[in-house]
Amino acid sequence: MCGIIGILGREPVAPAMIEALKRLEYRGYDSAGVATLENGHLTRRRAEGKLRKLEELLERKPLQGQIGIGHTRWATHGRPNETNAHPHATDRVAVVHNGIIENFNELRTELSGRGAKFTTETDTEVIAHLVTDLMNGGLGPIDAVRAALPRLKGAFALAFLFEGENDLLVGARRGSPLAIGHGDGEMMLGSDAIALAPLTSNISYLEDGDFAVLKRGGAQVYDANGNETKRPVLRSGAASFLVEKGNFRHFMAKEIHEQPEVVGHTLSAYIDFATERVQLPELPFDFAKLDRIAISACGTAYYAGLIGKYWFERFARLPVEVDIASELRYREAPFTPGNLAIFVSQSGETADTLATLRHAKEHGQHVLSIVNVATSTIARESELVMPTLAGPEIGVASTKAFTCQLAVLACLAIAAGRARGTLTEEDEGNLVRALIEVPRHMSEALALEPEIERLARDIAKNRDVLYLGRGTSYPLALEGALKLKEISYIHAEGYAGGELKHGPIALIDATIPVIVIAPYDRVFEKTVSNMQEVAAREGRIILITDPRGAREATIESVAILTLPDMPPSVTPLVYALPVQLLAYHTAVIMGTDVDQPRNLAKSVTVE
Ligand code: G6P
């Protein structure tokens, strides 16, 4: 994983590299480093911890080089300390890397045998030594990188800087994303357009297997077969300003509160409010001819996919399989050509989701993606993209992207129902009207924040928390547990209400809060029975429901959060908000790093 930057500039590049790395911190933030040429000599500054440590180091010991590479790291091989921080270097070359070199051990043994001295625990260091070895054998820098790449197994985006080469950066990509920025007498490499936005909005995206040679005057790109090629220069719409927190203490809080607006915005892209009909872009497949849909994603996006399954099956009577992307890819699932595979991803760069997309394509599936970053690799490789219009999501724990993903999935499922004749016009009108009301209900849900904050004080005292739900509230229970554990580090599990008695009930005693997500719907009575089972064992229940559910859940020792009445089809979109707020306030009380929790990254670009 990690974010990389490279700049061939006309003035000292360290400040611009730091600015770019700030924009890449979503890819990792356990250590960072830069290398420049100081009077032609490779010079590095690296620091363990957040980027501000590197910034402080550069204030104390500035760099003046007008060419440089930089990196923000999420550790895969080797602890997150200064030694293992990138760039990795020999006396001839420095390299930054995003990805994993799978055969690093084998290469390390071979290169050590020829005298290379390794000083880190990383897989990346072999790349620096391999290129150096080839240069020592007589190759120039460009040819040395060209010869090294076929020897690397695994995934990578790389940027190289060479001793004494003041007008040369080399980049390469296989698996991990890499873009070229075209400035005025300046050239750049970066993991994405957002990192390059303050420097240029002229961007070309390298394709898999590409190799690029950058000089201040321009770039030459070679494809996987070594043939010179051109990658189009596009105008990037990535914002050149850093997204601010406004009056909020954390990005996560801001993003939770933005949901009424961004979900409304997303819905307006797929709904014709005047006719109360779903209006999608032209589809390259016919829902009526599909016999199955496969949805794949990771993390929170996977839970959005699970909720989508309930909707497709109910509205369109279409069987749906939902897989964690890393599982679908390797479990040899049979595909019938011509069916539909849907990929859900905030970043559009998640390595497992992307690899599964390619796998589905190879098996003749139509590929539709629901992504938030419209310029991402997943978006670019999809047959059809349905963007979520959540805007940049900075908090590592996904919130507004999740509800926007749900909004798109709901619209798709309604369109599928219409195309398959399983929804009448009247059904569609009812479902669409319910969606149109969602932003209003979300605002009402946000008004419960003071109450939620009080409940969070109790949650924060515990080591374990259980979430229960049935129907679409079950995936939401999974999402609630994920939110809580990722930002507060309290162990939490989500369960389908009916599964309680098959194991988790053994955990229940007076020390475990049980958060029950249960709007008054056709399975509410069943959930009440589950709550009785918890209450009988002294479990403490927090029930998230609506006015009718609050009246009918006649159980003692229940704290109730009452949301407005709404049709069951849209409850997951609205109930997500108190679930997110509960996790958020618990984490704030615990004093954790809410926006950048330990060990996590916003975009996971390694398998
Ligand atoms: C990481 C993030 C999660 C996200 C998941 C999938 O684990 O921390 O918030 O849900 O990746 O990411 P994607 O960008 O594909 O939605």
Side-chain angles (χ1 to χ4, degrees):
M1 244 144 66
C2 317
I4 66 182
I5 178 76
I7 306 179
L8 268 158
R10 290 187 296 181
E11 49 190 58
V13 292
M17 289 203 289
I18 291 291
E19 180 66 22
L21 291 176
K22 281 185 187 160
R23 295 156 163 270
L24 290 171
E25 258 193 313
Y26 71 88
R27 297 171 152 264
Y29 39 76
D30 61 37
S31 53
V34 293
T36 56
L37 288 186
E38 302 294 299
N39 301 318
H41 297 301
L42 285 171
T43 311
R44 291 184 289 170
R45 300 276 187 268
R46 299 176 299 158
E48 178 179 338
K50 296 280 178 66
L51 201 51
R52 63 175 176 274
K53 299 276 180 207
L54 177 65
E55 236 179 329
E56 284 161 17
L57 176 64
L58 282 164
E59 276 161 25
R60 289 196 305 279
K61 297 163 100 182
L63 291 174
Q64 301 303 332
Q66 300 188 1
I67 179 171
I69 55 176
H71 189 267
T72 177
R73 180 168 188 244
W74 183 85
T76 59
H77 296 55
R79 277 159 291 178
N81 56 25
E82 186 186 331
T83 310
N84 290 329
H86 299 218
H88 292 294
T90 65
D91 55 355
R92 306 200 68 175
V93 62
V95 62
V96 286
H97 171 212
N98 164 210
I100 290 178
I101 303 303
E102 288 164 3
N103 60 336
F104 81 101
N105 250 331
E106 178 189 319
L107 289 169
R108 191 171 166 130
T109 309
E110 177 190 323
L111 292 160
S112 300
R114 289 210 288 280
K117 295 272 173 285
F118 283 84
T119 55
T120 79
E121 301 162 318
T122 67
D123 52 336
T124 305
E125 197 184 1
V126 295
I127 306 173
H129 283 292
L130 180 58
V131 171
T132 303
D133 188 61
L134 290 157
M135 288 174 77
N136 290 343
L139 294 181
I142 300 170
D143 286 335
V145 175
R146 204 196 297 273
L149 296 177
R151 302 225 37 213
L152 304 177
K153 291 202 183 120
F156 52 76
L158 298 167
F160 294 91
L161 174 71
F162 302 91
E163 172 86 4
E165 296 284 348
N166 197 37
D167 193 24
L168 176 66
L169 284 181
V170 174
R173 100 159 258 202
R174 191 198 297 156
S176 310
L178 192 61
I180 298 179
H182 304 256
D184 184 11
E186 299 185 324
M187 294 294 289
M188 308 106 209
L189 284 168
S191 293
D192 66 21
I194 300 165
L196 299 176
L199 300 162
T200 181
S201 43
N202 296 325
I203 304 289
S204 42
Y205 292 95
L206 291 183
E207 300 209 347
D208 235 22
D210 279 359
F211 167 78
V213 177
L214 274 69
K215 307 212 162 171
R216 284 185 180 77
Q220 278 172 307
V221 180
Y222 302 87
D223 66 15
N225 301 318
N227 300 319
E228 191 167 350
T229 182
K230 292 242 174 300
R231 301 295 173 214
V233 180
L234 310 169
R235 287 286 298 173
S236 150
S240 63
F241 52 88
L242 265 184
V243 183
E244 303 288 349
K245 281 187 225 150
N247 292 328
F248 292 93
R249 193 164 154 197
H250 298 100
F251 280 110
M252 185 179 177
K254 174 173 175 261
E255 288 158 4
I256 290 173
H257 282 264
E258 279 172 356
Q259 289 175 105
E261 189 188 334
V262 295
V263 167
H265 195 35
T266 302
L267 287 171
S268 65
Y270 301 107
I271 284 177
D272 180 341
F273 284 59
T275 59
E276 295 178 340
R277 293 271 164 277
V278 167
Q279 211 171 41
L280 300 187
E282 197 178 324
L283 302 176
F285 55 84
D286 180 355
F287 271 119
K289 298 209 173 98
L290 302 180
D291 53 38
R292 174 179 167 273
I293 296 180
I295 302 180
S296 314
C298 301
T300 290
Y302 166 68
Y303 296 139
L306 278 182
I307 292 172
K309 171 186 169 84
Y310 285 76
W311 287 333
F312 278 111
E313 295 189 345
R314 179 164 318 158
F315 304 162
R317 312 299 304 142
L318 189 53
V320 175
E321 280 179 49
V322 190
D323 270 283
I324 294 167
S326 54
E327 288 300 314
L328 177 62
R329 184 181 170 194
Y330 292 114
R331 76 178 160 81
E332 297 178 32
F335 289 98
T336 311
N339 267 335
L340 173 64
I342 300 178
F343 298 88
V344 188
S345 174
Q346 188 285 128
S347 63
E349 299 294 350
T350 303
D352 283 317
T353 311
L354 175 59
T356 309
L357 179 153
R358 290 175 178 158
H359 177 77
K361 255 187 180 174
E362 277 163 24
H363 288 80
Q365 304 301 289
H366 290 292
V367 167
L368 185 162
S369 67
I370 298 173
V371 292
N372 198 39
V373 181
T375 50
S376 60
T377 315
I378 289 179
R380 280 182 284 117
E381 295 198 10
S382 298
E383 206 177 340
L384 177 68
V385 187
M386 292 182 58
T388 48
L389 304 178
E393 191 181 65
I394 310 295
V396 164
S398 189
T399 52
K400 61 176 180 170
F402 174 68
T403 44
C404 287
Q405 287 159 356
L406 292 180
V408 177
L409 283 163
C411 291
L412 255 180
I414 295 170
R418 183 175 64 198
R420 295 169 68 81
T422 48
L423 290 180
T424 63
E425 255 192 42
E426 192 189 341
D427 295 332
E428 181 179 355
N430 290 336
L431 289 167
V432 167
R433 273 190 294 281
L435 282 171
I436 294 173
E437 290 295 307
V438 161
R440 183 168 63 85
H441 293 318
M442 284 180 155
S443 300
E444 290 163 341
L446 291 173
L448 296 177
E449 191 160 9
E451 236 175 293
I452 295 172
E453 196 178 347
R454 274 196 297 281
L455 291 171
R457 282 189 213 135
D458 179 42
I459 305 267
K461 293 183 196 135
N462 297 281
R463 289 182 54 85
D464 303 281
V465 178
L466 206 57
Y467 286 75
L468 294 181
R470 285 173 179 261
T472 50
S473 299
Y474 161 50
L476 197 55
L478 297 173
E479 168 62 4
L482 174 65
K483 274 300 76 90
L484 187 72
K485 71 184 134 195
E486 67 183 341
I487 60 170
S488 74
Y489 317 146
I490 293 173
H491 169 241
E493 282 191 65
Y495 262 93
E499 279 290 292
L500 179 70
K501 51 196 165 298
H502 297 293
I505 200 162
L507 298 172
I508 305 288
D509 61 21
T511 69
I512 298 216
V514 181
I515 297 166
V516 181
I517 305 165
Y520 191 89
D521 57 14
R522 58 192 181 138
V523 286
F524 182 77
E525 294 302 333
K526 311 267 174 213
T527 310
V528 171
S529 306
N530 299 138
M531 286 195 289
Q532 296 283 11
E533 291 154 13
V534 172
R537 288 158 184 87
E538 294 181 14
R540 284 170 303 131
I541 298 166
I542 296 174
L543 171 64
I544 308 179
T545 187
D546 47 31
R548 175 128 193 228
R551 275 198 307 278
E552 312 249 338
T554 46
I555 296 172
E556 279 177 37
S557 78
V558 181
I560 300 183
L561 278 173
T562 310
L563 293 172
D565 271 322
M566 69 198 82
S569 57
V570 296
T571 52
L573 285 130
V574 181
Y575 280 57
L577 275 57
V579 163
Q580 295 162 351
L581 283 171
L582 207 50
Y584 171 73
H585 284 291
T586 307
V588 171
I589 293 161
M590 302 290 285
T592 57
D593 189 341
V594 174
D595 284 333
Q596 293 186 327
R598 68 185 182 202
N599 305 340
L600 297 179
K602 181 88 187 136
S603 174
V604 180
T605 55
V606 292
E607 274 188 54

